[in-house]
Amino acid sequence: MKTIFGIVLIVLLWYFLSFVIGSSFVLPFPHEVLGNLINQLSTPRFYVALWNTIWKTLIVLFLSSFIGIILGFLMGMSDTIYEIFRPMLMMIQAIPVVSWLAFVVFLWGVGWRGPILISTMAILPNTVFTTASGIKNIDRKLLEMVRLYKVSRSKIFRHVYLASIIPFVIAAIEVSIGNVWKVVLVTEFLVGGNGLGVELAWARQYVDVPRIYAITIIAVVLGIVTERVFKIISRRMLEKWEMY
């Protein structure tokens, strides 16, 4: 119920700002955006663009999580590996998105590979460093104790290492989900061959402001839904593994 009041407050504030600004080219009224959104939902082209953005986003999440967790685990276990890969990851983290855009345009031109590569590079360092932090924060006295009592490696991995890094991994993936939709749409907007980002580019080309806001709302909803679904899945997995 409180969420509904929050949404109503946003709509009322939106109407107020639209009235004050008085220009549909800057901030159209909510009912104009809603009408545009309904029109888009009735066209097959929208669903093709939506699907193209969704599968690219899922691939980016999988790649950044899979590579990030494995590399972060190794970096957390070994200071040598950490020092070897840290400069590379910091360099990836510091490279501006526009530099990546120039690189992929020269390499592949416009298409689906650019958004996936750039988005993965943007998300990956956070997952790696968060997972490595989880491993490094494991209580060393606890490790010495379980080794002293000759606990099996499988139990040490599950009840010490896995239990310690799971909260960090979940936090890293939640942050990635919050950012991945934005990054994918930006890269699609600039170098994508299809997707919601490309639809945004066309809307800008035709100065279709309500369409821009409608696609933005869809992106926000996708981000929120993805985060909620991940939380439900992660909670069930933790309950199954008796970690919740």
Side-chain angles (χ1 to χ4, degrees), residues 139-203:
D139 190 344
R140 300 299 168 187
K141 292 182 179 178
L142 177 62
L143 287 174
E144 292 175 4
M145 185 181 70
V146 293
R147 286 168 182 159
L148 182 66
Y149 285 98
K150 297 181 179 179
V151 178
S152 66
R153 290 185 177 181
S154 62
K155 288 185 177 179
I156 293 176
F157 177 78
R158 178 180 177 183
H159 295 289
V160 179
Y161 286 108
L162 200 57
S164 299
I165 67 168
I166 282 296
F168 290 87
V169 170
I170 290 176
I173 295 176
E174 285 181 352
V175 172
S176 300
I177 290 173
N179 293 323
V180 68
W181 290 100
K182 290 180 282 188
V183 180
V184 169
L185 256 70
V186 167
T187 52
E188 282 182 344
F189 183 88
L190 296 168
V191 297
N194 47 44
L196 293 178
V198 177
E199 294 300 310
L200 274 174
W202 281 112

Side-chain angles (χ1 to χ4, degrees), residues 103-114:
F103 173 72
V104 298
V105 166
F106 290 134
L107 186 63
W108 295 316
V110 173
W112 58 270
R113 287 176 290 191

Side-chain angles (χ1 to χ4, degrees), residues 46-239:
F46 168 77
Y47 293 100
V48 173
L50 178 64
W51 169 242
N52 277 295
T53 297
I54 288 175
W55 71 258
K56 276 181 275 193
T57 302
L58 292 177
I59 288 178
V60 170
L61 277 175
F62 172 76
L63 289 176
S64 59
S65 301
F66 182 74
I67 299 172
I69 291 170
I70 292 177
L71 185 56
F73 186 88
L74 295 175
M75 288 173 66
M77 293 290 290
S78 168
D79 290 337
T80 303
I81 296 176
Y82 186 90
E83 293 302 325
I84 289 174
F85 282 96
R86 190 173 68 91
M88 184 190 305
L89 289 164
M90 292 184 70
M91 186 183 72
I92 291 173
Q93 202 169 26
I95 293 177
V97 174
V98 290
S99 300
W100 284 114
L101 290 171
F103 173 72
V104 298
V105 166
F106 290 134
L107 186 63
W108 295 316
V110 173
W112 58 270
R113 287 176 290 191
I116 289 177
L117 176 65
I118 297 171
S119 303
T120 303
M121 291 297 103
I123 301 295
L124 181 65
N126 176 64
T127 309
V128 174
F129 285 127
T130 306
T131 306
S133 296
I135 293 294
K136 286 182 175 296
N137 283 328
I138 293 176
D139 190 344
R140 300 299 168 187
K141 292 182 179 178
L142 177 62
L143 287 174
E144 292 175 4
M145 185 181 70
V146 293
R147 286 168 182 159
L148 182 66
Y149 285 98
K150 297 181 179 179
V151 178
S152 66
R153 290 185 177 181
S154 62
K155 288 185 177 179
I156 293 176
F157 177 78
R158 178 180 177 183
H159 295 289
V160 179
Y161 286 108
L162 200 57
S164 299
I165 67 168
I166 282 296
F168 290 87
V169 170
I170 290 176
I173 295 176
E174 285 181 352
V175 172
S176 300
I177 290 173
N179 293 323
V180 68
W181 290 100
K182 290 180 282 188
V183 180
V184 169
L185 256 70
V186 167
T187 52
E188 282 182 344
F189 183 88
L190 296 168
V191 297
N194 47 44
L196 293 178
V198 177
E199 294 300 310
L200 274 174
W202 281 112
R204 186 202 63 170
Q205 187 80 11
Y206 291 106
V207 201
D208 191 348
V209 180
R211 189 178 172 192
I212 293 174
Y213 280 92
I215 295 173
T216 303
I217 290 173
I218 292 166
V220 171
V221 172
L222 285 172
I224 293 173
V225 169
T226 310
E227 186 179 1
R228 292 294 174 91
V229 170
F230 174 75
K231 282 185 175 179
I232 293 171
I233 294 174
S234 61
R235 176 174 294 186
R236 289 183 178 176
M237 290 178 67
L238 292 177
E239 288 174 346

